[in-house]
Amino acid sequence: MLNTLKELCLLNGVSGDEDEVRRYITAKAVKHADHLHADSIGNLIVFKKGAKSTGNRLMLCAHMDEVGVIVTRITDEGFLKFDFVGGVDRSVAIGKPVVIGHNNVPGVIGLKAIHLTGKEERKKAPKTDSLYIDIGAKDKESAERLVEPGDYGAFVCQPEEFGDGLFKARAIDDRVGCAVMLKLLEEELPLDVTFAFTAQEEVGTRGAFGAAFSVTPEIALVLETTTAADLPGVENHRRVCAPGKGPVISYMDGATIYDRELFETLRRLAEENGIPWQTKEYIAGGNDARTIQRTKAGVRVAALSAATRYLHAPASVGSIADFENMLKLTRLFLTEMARRLDEGE
């Protein structure tokens, strides 16, 4: 699974421009799917039959998109003005390399020189309109030959393993969920499963609404990442969770109160099978579950996440063991759902 994750994290898929990621997943999934299609908003919906015929009762969900930038105009000097797509901390974007458009034009995010800033300016995160992207163009005309307003830009980060079992890459959020689902698609499943690879999660969980509305599942398990803050200077009660302590099983976040029985099921399965797990110790964030839960007459939702440092930054960090344990616990969850059907639950 780790090799798949590395490949996924090299693909550009800023919200609304997920084509490259969707093509990769389609090529992998089509070999194992009974049916798949891309809907009008860009979700990829994949159905695979299992040992138990259950139709669309169970849906697994992970989003394909990532945060990034979008070009808004080109200056007379050939620099690109832009806005962020999704929630990016402006202070961590300065000096970071990006690639723009489908031709992957290289650039770097810049800010005026520090010696030109006042003392008060230096104390604050820069405003987006004070930033620009330098693509090395000598003037506006040169830049216009390479890019145009509306082009997306993705951060550049080489995926790599480092330290004590950690993994660094951009877009771990949520390519790890996509990698888990691709691995499960290769396997014999205990029951029918619909896999929803969703679009535009980072700009308001927009794709998940269409996916859940068309699939209409009874239960949905969202495979995600969540913010870790296990860092120096952060008070213990604000650390949320930590890489390496196991998948995060959520009972609540900033957007969703999860189905309590499904939460208890995931916790029991983890404990019975020796899989480390943790909860979020600080209520914050949200994911596709918030939209899925509210679809039509309502959907029972659960979430399983990998604790990830520096979420929505040009480079994020997670634990390889957590990724593998997400896969193991999801397998156990599918088996449990099939068992309950056998017993008429």
Side-chain angles (χ1 to χ4, degrees), residues 93-132:
I94 300 167
K96 297 301 187 294
V98 292
V99 288
I100 308 296
H102 293 154
N103 292 323
N104 288 335
V105 175
V108 63
I109 295 176
L111 177 69
K112 68 179 177 181
I114 192 167
H115 70 276
L116 297 178
T117 62
K119 186 178 295 185
E120 290 304 313
E121 278 186 278
R122 297 172 199 169
K123 296 178 182 178
K124 302 176 183 177
K127 295 182 179 180
T128 304
D129 60 11
S130 68
L131 303 175
Y132 56 84

Side-chain angles (χ1 to χ4, degrees), residues 26-344:
T26 298
K28 293 273 190 180
V30 72
K31 307 168 189 176
H32 310 288
D34 289 285
H35 174 73
L36 81 164
H37 73 280
D39 65 18
S40 59
I41 201 169
N43 301 312
L44 181 65
I45 309 297
V46 182
F47 177 76
K48 180 170 181 175
K49 290 183 177 295
K52 300 293 178 184
S53 180
T54 59
N56 61 349
R57 292 180 66 177
L58 176 64
M59 183 174 81
L60 300 186
C61 178
H63 67 88
M64 298 180 289
D65 60 311
E66 64 187 291
V67 298
V69 301
I70 192 167
V71 178
T72 55
R73 69 181 179 89
I74 301 173
T75 72
D76 291 340
E77 300 82 5
F79 295 98
L80 312 183
K81 300 301 287 184
F82 68 95
D83 206 340
F84 289 107
V85 181
V88 181
D89 183 352
R90 298 183 299 277
S91 63
V92 303
I94 300 167
K96 297 301 187 294
V98 292
V99 288
I100 308 296
H102 293 154
N103 292 323
N104 288 335
V105 175
V108 63
I109 295 176
L111 177 69
K112 68 179 177 181
I114 192 167
H115 70 276
L116 297 178
T117 62
K119 186 178 295 185
E120 290 304 313
E121 278 186 278
R122 297 172 199 169
K123 296 178 182 178
K124 302 176 183 177
K127 295 182 179 180
T128 304
D129 60 11
S130 68
L131 303 175
Y132 56 84
I133 297 173
D134 184 348
I135 60 170
K138 64 180 180 180
D139 53 31
K140 185 174 185 178
E141 184 178 350
S142 297
E144 287 177 333
R145 287 197 288 266
L146 299 172
V147 300
E148 60 184 8
D151 281 350
Y152 285 92
F155 294 113
V156 177
C157 179
Q158 184 66 31
E160 62 180 344
E161 301 167 55
F162 76 112
D164 295 325
L166 297 180
F167 177 73
K168 170 189 72 72
R170 72 153 219 267
I172 293 176
D173 176 20
D174 180 31
R175 305 290 162 73
V176 66
C178 294
V180 168
M181 297 206 310
L182 282 172
K183 182 62 179 176
L184 290 170
L185 270 165
E186 297 174 1
E187 303 173 1
E188 296 298 321
L189 301 177
L191 76 170
D192 296 350
V193 179
T194 301
F195 298 84
F197 298 89
T198 59
Q200 298 189 37
E201 190 270 354
E202 298 293 4
V203 289
T205 64
R206 298 172 186 176
F209 177 78
F213 201 92
S214 62
V215 174
T216 318
E218 295 177 16
I219 292 173
L221 176 63
V222 176
L223 301 171
E224 254 283 17
T225 62
T226 192
T227 304
D230 60 322
L231 302 169
V234 178
E235 298 171 331
N236 287 340
H237 71 281
R238 298 178 67 87
R239 291 195 170 198
V240 187
C241 54
K245 292 187 176 181
V248 176
I249 306 173
S250 297
Y251 52 82
M252 179 179 174
D253 58 32
T256 307
I257 297 176
Y258 293 91
D259 184 276
R260 190 69 189 192
E261 196 276 331
L262 294 178
F263 168 80
E264 295 291 352
T265 295
L266 286 166
R267 179 167 68 170
R268 175 179 57 81
L269 290 171
E271 291 176 350
E272 288 177 351
N273 291 274
I275 297 174
W277 67 280
Q278 57 185 316
T279 60
K280 296 177 72 164
E281 298 178 11
Y282 186 82
I283 302 302
N287 56 50
D288 278 338
R290 73 173 187 176
T291 300
I292 296 169
Q293 184 183 54
R294 303 172 190 178
T295 300
K296 290 188 176 179
V299 179
R300 297 174 64 197
V301 293
L304 198 56
S305 305
T308 304
R309 294 174 185 154
Y310 326 122
L311 211 61
H312 291 185
S316 299
V317 171
S319 162
I320 296 169
D322 288 350
F323 305 158
E324 295 293 344
N325 281 323
M326 276 182 66
L327 174 60
K328 291 177 184 176
L329 192 47
T330 305
R331 280 196 194 105
L332 292 167
F333 183 78
L334 298 183
T335 301
E336 175 68 9
M337 293 299 102
R339 182 194 65 78
R340 293 184 182 189
L341 285 172
D342 274 343
E343 298 179 1

